[in-house]
Amino acid sequence: MVLLEPVPVRGAGRAPGFPDGRLAALHRRAARDGRLPKVTAMPLVEGPELLGCQAGFTFLYVSTAGEVFPCDLAPASFGNVFELGLGAVLERMERMVPRPSRRCLALWLAEAGGARPLPWPQTEELMRGWEPGEPPELARLLLPARPSGS
């Protein structure tokens, strides 16, 4: 079972979320108790202490129309796979989302504004302001080593 926390995207306003950590507590309790179904609480796994936001790094979403988004909650298109090919779209995404972040990209995009879903030219302009910062510790351990001189 995968549990997601509400994320205020697509002009939905602020979602209440679970600031008291109930989803993370359920995740930990289920992991210790063999009688409970296994639970993955994404706010814990993708939180700043573990893997962080993986949008555009290990996650992506392709719509039925071929638009490629960093995740299903971040509706900022990096291009259309039918028009450009997946390789070209992934190159754009890799350039603008070089690593996981302690911040949620979908939340940042929602706060940064713009019509939803954003086409590539608007995504490119908006993403110039994205600074993922240092990745969480666990994510840093999983990142490939950078070649010397980079």
Side-chain angles (χ1 to χ4, degrees), residues 70-92:
C71 85
D72 55 339
L73 298 174
S77 176
F78 279 74
N80 189 291
V81 69
F82 299 127
E83 295 169 8
L84 301 171
L86 185 58
V89 175
L90 292 179
E91 284 177 19
R92 286 177 174 175

Side-chain angles (χ1 to χ4, degrees), residues 21-79:
R22 285 182 280 168
L23 292 182
L26 177 60
H27 175 115
R28 289 181 176 108
R29 193 172 114 223
R32 288 189 303 267
D33 188 338
R35 298 169 297 169
L36 295 175
K38 295 308 159 218
V39 173
T40 300
M42 296 313 288
L44 173 65
V45 174
E46 293 181 329
E49 303 81 25
L50 294 178
L51 292 175
C53 178
Q54 297 281 319
F57 188 75
T58 61
F59 294 160
L60 63 85
Y61 169 76
V62 182
S63 76
T64 56
E67 295 297 320
V68 181
F69 303 98
C71 85
D72 55 339
L73 298 174
S77 176
F78 279 74

Side-chain angles (χ1 to χ4, degrees), residues 102-138:
R102 292 176 186 266
R103 299 168 51 200
C104 172
L105 179 59
L107 284 174
W108 180 83
L109 286 166
E111 291 167 1
R116 302 288 191 250
L118 296 174
W120 166 245
Q122 289 175 307
T123 296
E124 182 178 31
E125 184 178 324
L126 192 60
M127 289 298 296
R128 288 185 185 125
W130 170 247
E131 175 48 55
E134 285 299 312
E137 188 63 33
L138 182 57

